[in-house]
Amino acid sequence: MLDFCDVFWASSRFNEVFLGALSADELDRRRSFRFSQDADVFSASRILLRLVLADRIGQTPADLKFTRDCLFCPRPHGKPRLNLPNAQVHFNVSHSAGVVVVAVASVEVGVDIEAIPTHPLDAFEGMAVHPMELSHFDQTEMVDQPQEQMRLWTRKEATLKAAGVGLVVSPRDISVGASGSAPERVQWDGLHKPALPIWVSDIDFLRNYACSIATMSESPHSVRLVDAQGLLTLSRLARTGGNPDPREEVVG
């Protein structure tokens, strides 16, 4: 039986009372953005993450603490994790063009969302395509269609985020296969290969966006998509400071 990975998504609209749940560092980061829309997207992603995790572990959103230990150096810029001993919850966050997504699972998880540009990226094949992937995709289509480029890129990015290595590993060193909603096992060539398999699939829920989810486990995880807009804008929860239950408050 497949285990589940929950993916919560929303726009960057949120009730400003929820800003009280953010840490001092998060508020400093919010103030550092030059444009208000960028500050709102960042804030919405952090608020949604706190609301979802608080419900999972039974804490208030403001009490959650995070670490960002790097696998390769002492600097605190690695994959975010809960600063909670023996926490059996893993998460990842992504945002693009006013949309935020939060993935939560019982195993290491990565998620990436990208707005599809109007024009293809130059030199995309040399930057991102594994040699084996040329057998899955028509080369001209890959070069000429921004949607196909972004589908492949989000699969790569989600995979590297699940492994916690980011772009330390070249996207060309992993083969994520053809696009599709069924989980596909990643082929990992080169450095920092994870001990467990990584499974990646696409999530199609918004026009003009590509989104992919990756989990690191012996077997793949089924994905449950949750519209979390109501969670971000529900003023009653913000006033009470209680732990929201996403299963009761949003539409799955």
Side-chain angles (χ1 to χ4, degrees), residues 2 17 23 37 39 41 52 65 75 125 164 206 227 229:
L2 293 179
V17 180
S23 68
Q37 59 265 37
V41 170
V52 170
K65 307 295 182 185
R75 295 175 58 196
E125 180 184 337
L206 285 177
D227 181 347
Q229 192 63 62

Side-chain angles (χ1 to χ4, degrees), residues 128-146:
V129 182
H130 185 280
M132 278 193 62
E133 289 164 347
L134 296 179
S135 64
H136 293 291
F137 298 95
D138 177 80
Q139 185 172 349
T140 302
E141 181 182 36
M142 180 64 67
V143 172
D144 291 343
Q145 293 195 14

Side-chain angles (χ1 to χ4, degrees), residues 140-153:
T140 302
E141 181 182 36
M142 180 64 67
V143 172
D144 291 343
Q145 293 195 14
Q147 182 174 2
E148 293 305 314
Q149 289 184 345
M150 287 300 99
R151 283 183 182 277
L152 183 64
W153 180 258

Side-chain angles (χ1 to χ4, degrees), residues 209-226:
Y209 287 84
C211 185
S212 297
I213 185 79
T215 55
M216 186 163 68
S217 58
E218 291 291 354
S219 58
H221 284 52
S222 183
V223 175
R224 295 187 295 201
L225 186 63
V226 182

Side-chain angles (χ1 to χ4, degrees), residues 223-238:
V223 175
R224 295 187 295 201
L225 186 63
V226 182
D227 181 347
Q229 192 63 62
L231 188 61
L232 278 180
T233 56
L234 202 57
S235 59
R236 178 178 60 82
L237 291 176

Side-chain angles (χ1 to χ4, degrees), residues 50-109:
R50 285 179 174 275
L51 292 174
V52 170
L53 291 181
D55 173 71
R56 290 297 176 96
I57 66 175
Q59 291 191 8
T60 59
D63 289 337
L64 298 179
K65 307 295 182 185
F66 299 93
T67 62
R68 295 202 62 176
D69 296 336
C70 178
L71 295 176
F72 308 107
C73 76
R75 295 175 58 196
H77 61 177
K79 184 177 182 180
R81 301 181 186 279
L82 275 172
N83 188 10
L84 190 67
N86 303 316
Q88 298 299 311
V89 58
H90 299 269
F91 62 89
N92 202 231
V93 179
S94 183
H95 52 78
S96 179
V99 176
V100 300
V101 290
V102 172
V104 182
S106 61
V107 297
E108 293 286 2
V109 62

Side-chain angles (χ1 to χ4, degrees), residues 149-160:
Q149 289 184 345
M150 287 300 99
R151 283 183 182 277
L152 183 64
W153 180 258
T154 59
R155 290 167 76 88
K156 301 263 183 173
E157 184 78 7
T159 295
L160 296 175

